[in-house]
Amino acid sequence: TSIENVSLPETLESIGGQAFYSCTHIESLTLPVSLTSIGDWAFGECTALATVNYGGTEADRANMTIGAVNDPLLNAAWTYAEEASYEAQIGDTKYETFNEAFAAAESGDTIVLLRYASFDEDVMIDENMEITLDLNGFDFDAYIQIDVYGHLTIKGKGNFYGSGNGFMHVHSGGSATLQDAAFYQEGDGSNIFITVDGSLEINSGTFYPWQCAADAANGTLIITGGSFYMSDSNEEGNSTNAEIVSGNVLISGGTFDR
């Protein structure tokens, strides 16, 4: 199967042996607090399983019977009910808001979302700073401007809602990498979603700009994968001949639908 996110019903009490055996596309799993037993091999060979959102506490999990050969389940990152108030995490430290996590981030850190989050302050990635944002399957609202002078990576299954005025400017000397997520251009504003004066690499993900997903007239854009869809609009002021990407672009993969 190609299902990536599995959410099981609140009334479920047990999962039989080999129920999800070798479902290698499952990346996240939501389990109810009502669950008391998981059979042998139920999640054996689920090699992509990375996160488990559990409706109970750590104490509840301790009372759950988990059968043999469920290593992918046991090795995944578990989120518990008492952690629901946290929005983000860096290493072992959790933060109630993404703002707090970003303020505490140091070069080389990965900020992992723990639930839906939003950010309402413009962001600057300073020179020599390297930050990764892992959406971790959650939605992120960022109606802001992200100025990148260092390096920023945005990854992880999830939906990233960016400003209509253009959510990112990769400045000269800066770089960014985008992968996995779906990126949406929201609200009124610029016809260019990402301005690239440095370098931007898009490896995967889905992009829904109004017109131009990225303009690299003064920089470099490398696309190795991903799907690009221009918004379906012929209203006055929107050119039907607009380019989905423009400038200095090297394309070795991806699909483009205008």
Side-chain angles (χ1 to χ4, degrees):
T1 181
S2 61
I3 297 175
E4 297 174 348
N5 304 299
V6 174
S7 181
L8 299 177
E10 293 294 332
T11 56
L12 185 69
E13 296 183 357
S14 65
I15 298 175
Q18 300 188 33
F20 295 92
Y21 175 72
S22 197
C23 290
T24 56
H25 288 83
I26 296 178
E27 297 178 357
S28 68
L29 177 66
T30 299
L31 300 178
V33 66
S34 59
L35 186 64
T36 59
S37 66
I38 297 175
D40 295 346
W41 295 83
F43 294 95
E45 302 299 326
C46 292
T47 53
L49 183 59
T51 60
V52 178
N53 302 306
Y54 179 49
T57 64
E58 287 191 78
D60 293 325
R61 176 188 170 181
N63 291 323
M64 184 192 306
T65 301
I66 300 178
V69 196
N70 279 298
D71 290 349
L73 177 70
L74 297 173
N75 294 333
W78 285 60
T79 299
Y80 301 96
E82 68 266 28
E83 298 176 348
S85 62
Y86 295 106
E87 279 190 357
Q89 179 174 346
I90 300 174
D92 294 329
T93 304
K94 298 180 176 64
Y95 300 87
E96 292 187 358
T97 68
F98 178 84
N99 301 49
E100 294 175 353
F102 183 80
E106 299 179 350
S107 184
D109 281 345
T110 296
I111 303 173
V112 181
L113 293 191
L114 300 177
R115 62 181 178 89
Y116 161 81
S118 63
F119 202 44
D120 55 8
E121 299 177 3
D122 287 348
V123 171
M124 180 181 295
I125 308 297
D126 293 329
E127 185 180 357
N128 299 322
M129 282 285 288
E130 183 173 338
I131 298 295
T132 297
L133 171 59
D134 184 351
L135 299 181
N136 193 28
F138 296 101
D139 290 353
F140 186 69
D141 284 341
Y143 302 120
I144 56 173
Q145 173 74 39
I146 302 176
D147 289 296
V148 182
Y149 295 91
H151 182 78
L152 173 65
T153 298
I154 301 177
K155 67 176 186 176
K157 298 290 185 180
N159 298 313
F160 190 104
Y161 297 94
S163 168
N165 287 318
F167 90 94
M168 183 187 296
H169 185 177
V170 183
H171 293 265
S172 177
S175 60
T177 303
L178 305 179
Q179 59 194 50
D180 302 334
F183 296 85
Y184 295 84
Q185 185 174 11
E186 300 279 297
D188 297 329
S190 171
N191 291 331
I192 299 173
F193 197 27
I194 306 172
T195 300
V196 184
D197 293 330
S199 64
L200 171 65
E201 182 171 344
I202 297 176
N203 297 322
S204 58
T206 311
F207 297 81
Y208 299 92
W210 292 343
Q211 293 184 13
C212 183
D215 177 23
N218 299 310
T220 303
L221 171 61
I222 300 173
I223 300 176
T224 63
S227 300
F228 299 80
Y229 302 91
M230 185 184 297
S231 295
D232 183 14
S233 176
N234 291 319
E235 296 176 0
E236 184 177 356
N238 287 344
S239 171
T240 57
N241 295 319
E243 298 173 314
I244 295 180
V245 294
S246 63
N248 303 309
V249 185
L250 176 62
I251 300 174
S252 61
T255 59
F256 302 84
D257 185 353
R258 297 181 53 205

